[in-house]
Amino acid sequence: MLPDAENIAKRKFVTDKIKEMLVRNIDSVRYLPEDLHDDVALVGSGLGLDSLDILEVAMFVEGEFGVKLSESNLAALRSINTLADFIMQESSKGAANA
Amino acid sequence: MHSLFLEKKWEALNAKFSQIGGHQCVESVSDPAEESRLLRSCVCLSDLSFAKKYVFEESAGMDFLDTVLAGNILKLRYGRIADTFLADGGGSFAAECFVADIDDKLILLAENACRGDFLSDVFSAGNCRDVSGEYVLLCADGPHARKVAIDVFGPDVLNLPYLSAERYDFDGREAYLFRNGKTGEFGYQFMVPNETAESFFDKISASVLACGGGFCGTKTQFLSRLEGGFFNAYEEGVRVKSPITLGLQWQIDFSKDSFSGSAEIFKDRINADLPRLICLKSPADSPAFAIGEKIFAGKSRVGEVVSCAYSHALGAHLALALFDRGYAHSGFEFSRQDGGICHSVSRPAVLAESLYATSDSE
C-alpha cells in the first residue's frame, strides 16, 4: 500500500482508536494516547497487560470494529500495530464478502 | 579493553570476539544462520558480561534510584524487576536499567549507550558497589531456555513470572536468576560470581547441549532483539538520543515530578513533530540496509536507517528507521536509496515460539 494521505489516515484511525481504548479502559495504562508507540508490546515488557485486560481489548475490538479474536489469532495481541494489522485485514475481508 | 572472564571457555568454542564500549564481547560462535535457528527453535547460550552491574543497599538504594531513573522504583516489589532507563541531564538516553529487588538488596544491570564512567559517576552518589568485574552474566534464550534454567536451579523456576528475579546457591556461592530475556518471554539471565563462573559455565553448557541447543554471540542476540521488537541500547540506543523518539514512554512514570533529564523528556513528550522509530523489511535479494541509508515516499525523504540486520528467520533484511511522524505507520511501501522498495512492518517481526509452545517443544 502506498503511503498516501487517505491510506495513512485509515491506518491512523485504527491505531488511535486502540490507544484511546487502552488509556480509557485499562487501569494500569497511565499514559496519554500519544505516549503509546504503535509498536509497544501489550503483554510482557511494554504495557504489561494481564489476562483480564486482554479480554477487555478483545471485547473492544469486536464491539468497535466487528472483528472477533479467537485462540487461533492471539498473536494479533502482541502490539498495537499487530492488532491494527489484524483489524484492517479482517475488516477488508468482511467488506469483500459483503 | 576489559576482557571477558570466561574468554578461555569461549575460545575453546572457536568464538570470534569484538568489543562493546571498551569491553570484550563474543560476536559469534558459529554460522549466523545456525545460531539464529537454534535461538528461535531451541536454546542458545550467550555472554552478556559486558553489561554494567551495580549493587545498592535496599532501602537507601530505592530512594536514590527513584530520583535518577525514569521508572517508579519505589513501587518495585521484592523478587521483581523494573525495566527502565537512565537519561543524562540533557534528557538523552544513557542506559537501559533492569533493577531487581532481591536478597535484601537492589541489583542493577545496565546496558549502556554511554561511557561506563558516566554510569559509575551517577550511581556512586547512591553508595552502590560496582560489581561489573566480579560477576559474569550469561543468557539463555529460546523456547527451551526454561528447561535449561530448571535443569540448573530446579523446578521452582517455573514459578517465576516475566521480569522477576531469584537467588539460588551454586557451588556454595550465590547465583542470581533474572527472567528478563530480550529475545522472547522465556529468556533468562544468570549472574554468577567469578569464583564459580567456570563450573557454572560447564554446567549450563552441558544442559544447553543436552536440549539440542548451542551458543551464540552478540550478533545473533541483537538480531533477535530487532526481530522480537525488543529495545536494544547497544544499537538504536547509541544512535537515537530522545527516549520519546525511541518509544520508551512505557519505561517512564510520568506521575513523578522529576528524574535525571526529566525536564527535556517532558518537553519532547508534547512535541508532535519528533520523528518515530519504525521497522522496515526488504526482500532477501535486495541489498542489505545500511546505517544512515535514506528512505523515500515518492521523492520526499521520510526516514533514515539507524539499525539493521539480515533476519534468517524471515529470509529478509530488517531495519529500524527514524521516520517523519506523518509517515511513521506500519503497512506501507517506501523507496530505498538504491531505488529498491521496502515495507514498514509491525513489531515483533518474528513471533517468539515460546509464547505458543506446543507439547512437542515443551
Side-chain angles (χ1 to χ4, degrees), chain A residues 1-3 7-8 11 30-32 34-40 44-46 74-75 78-79 81-82 85, chain B residues 75 162 185 230 247 249-250 252 254 269 276-277 326-327 329-334 346-348 351 355-356:
Chain A
M1 192 163 35
L2 289 173
N7 287 333
I8 285 180
R11 175 80 190 189
R30 295 186 182 126
Y31 298 98
L32 302 172
E34 50 270 34
D35 289 331
L36 303 180
H37 190 287
D38 294 358
D39 281 321
V40 71
S45 64
L74 286 178
R78 292 300 294 150
S79 67
N81 253 338
T82 56
D85 289 344
Chain B
K75 285 185 183 164
Y162 188 60
E185 316 280 298
F230 288 86
Q249 290 89 328
W250 62 272
I252 303 172
F254 285 109
R269 186 189 190 196
R276 287 258 165 152
L277 271 188
Y327 287 93
H329 298 282
S330 185
F332 295 100
E333 182 180 301
F334 294 95
S346 301
R347 299 182 88 191
L351 191 64
L355 282 173
Y356 302 97

Side-chain angles (χ1 to χ4, degrees), chain A residues 6 9 13 17 23 27 54-55 58-60 65 80 82 86 98:
Chain A
E6 189 185 345
F13 175 79
K17 281 274 180 199
V23 169
D27 288 344
I54 287 297
L55 192 61
M59 286 164 59
F60 161 79
F65 298 101
I80 291 171
T82 56
F86 176 74

Side-chain angles (χ1 to χ4, degrees), chain A residues 66-81:
Chain A
V67 168
K68 203 163 186 165
L69 278 155
S70 65
E71 258 186 53
S72 61
N73 43 44
L74 286 178
L77 291 162
R78 292 300 294 150
S79 67
I80 291 171
N81 253 338

Side-chain angles (χ1 to χ4, degrees), chain B residues 190-300:
Chain B
F190 305 82
M191 187 171 124
V192 182
N194 292 347
E195 290 79 2
T196 53
E198 291 191 345
S199 56
F200 185 85
F201 185 85
D202 292 341
K203 164 114 183 159
I204 196 169
S205 298
S207 178
V208 164
L209 292 171
C211 283
F215 305 89
C216 74
T218 50
K219 232 173 168 178
T220 298
Q221 253 280 334
F222 293 174
L223 162 66
S224 302
R225 293 179 182 196
L226 175 62
E227 290 174 335
F230 288 86
F231 172 65
N232 189 350
Y234 301 115
E235 291 283 336
E236 57 268 29
V238 171
R239 299 183 191 104
V240 179
K241 294 328 281 179
S242 164
I244 302 295
T245 296
L246 285 165
L248 298 181
Q249 290 89 328
W250 62 272
Q251 295 187 352
I252 303 172
D253 182 347
F254 285 109
S255 69
K256 283 169 58 166
D257 290 335
S258 69
F259 51 87
S260 178
S262 58
E264 289 303 317
I265 292 170
F266 290 162
K267 269 189 223 163
D268 279 357
R269 186 189 190 196
I270 52 171
N271 180 355
D273 295 327
L274 271 191
R276 287 258 165 152
L277 271 188
I278 66 165
C279 189
L280 300 174
K281 185 170 138 184
S282 199
D285 58 4
S286 60
F289 284 109
I291 307 260
E293 179 179 340
K294 310 291 185 286
I295 305 295
F296 299 86
K299 287 184 178 165
S300 309

Side-chain angles (χ1 to χ4, degrees), chain B residues 28-291:
Chain B
S28 63
V29 182
S30 59
D31 170 54
E34 176 61 5
E35 287 186 13
S36 178
R37 187 191 68 77
L38 285 174
L39 192 147
R40 285 283 162 220
S41 64
C42 191
V43 57
C44 255
L45 185 70
S46 56
D47 193 332
L48 303 184
S49 297
F50 49 84
K52 303 287 285 179
K53 310 162 202 79
Y54 301 91
V55 174
F56 294 79
E57 188 273 314
E58 191 180 33
S59 58
M62 274 204 160
D63 289 334
F64 169 75
L65 288 175
D66 197 62
T67 64
V68 293
L69 300 181
N72 194 320
I73 303 302
L74 297 178
K75 285 185 183 164
L76 180 62
R77 286 178 289 145
Y78 192 82
R80 301 308 303 265
I81 298 172
D83 183 0
T84 183
F85 67 86
L86 173 73
D88 66 18
S92 292
F93 174 81
E96 184 171 22
C97 298
F98 296 91
V99 185
D101 183 356
I102 189 72
D103 204 15
D104 297 325
K105 54 185 171 264
L106 298 179
I107 298 175
L108 188 153
L109 304 177
E111 297 199 338
N112 53 311
C114 61
R115 298 179 342 270
D117 51 358
F118 170 74
L119 293 190
S120 298
D121 286 349
V122 171
F123 293 142
S124 63
N127 291 323
C128 70
R129 204 157 63 86
D130 183 345
V131 296
S132 302
E134 298 171 32
Y135 287 83
V136 300
L137 187 67
L138 297 171
C139 195
D141 287 291
H144 290 195
R146 188 168 58 166
K147 275 187 186 171
V148 171
I150 290 170
D151 191 37
V152 173
F153 290 132
D156 73 294
V157 166
L158 278 173
N159 298 327
L160 289 180
Y162 188 60
L163 290 179
S164 60
E166 188 60 274
R167 179 206 152 119
Y168 294 92
D169 288 322
F170 182 84
D171 274 1
R173 288 293 307 267
E174 76 281 12
Y176 297 99
L177 175 65
F178 305 106
R179 187 174 161 200
N180 63 337
K182 294 207 80 171
T183 66
E185 316 280 298
F186 285 122
Y188 295 87
Q189 294 186 350
F190 305 82
M191 187 171 124
V192 182
N194 292 347
E195 290 79 2
T196 53
E198 291 191 345
S199 56
F200 185 85
F201 185 85
D202 292 341
K203 164 114 183 159
I204 196 169
S205 298
S207 178
V208 164
L209 292 171
C211 283
F215 305 89
C216 74
T218 50
K219 232 173 168 178
T220 298
Q221 253 280 334
F222 293 174
L223 162 66
S224 302
R225 293 179 182 196
L226 175 62
E227 290 174 335
F230 288 86
F231 172 65
N232 189 350
Y234 301 115
E235 291 283 336
E236 57 268 29
V238 171
R239 299 183 191 104
V240 179
K241 294 328 281 179
S242 164
I244 302 295
T245 296
L246 285 165
L248 298 181
Q249 290 89 328
W250 62 272
Q251 295 187 352
I252 303 172
D253 182 347
F254 285 109
S255 69
K256 283 169 58 166
D257 290 335
S258 69
F259 51 87
S260 178
S262 58
E264 289 303 317
I265 292 170
F266 290 162
K267 269 189 223 163
D268 279 357
R269 186 189 190 196
I270 52 171
N271 180 355
D273 295 327
L274 271 191
R276 287 258 165 152
L277 271 188
I278 66 165
C279 189
L280 300 174
K281 185 170 138 184
S282 199
D285 58 4
S286 60
F289 284 109
I291 307 260

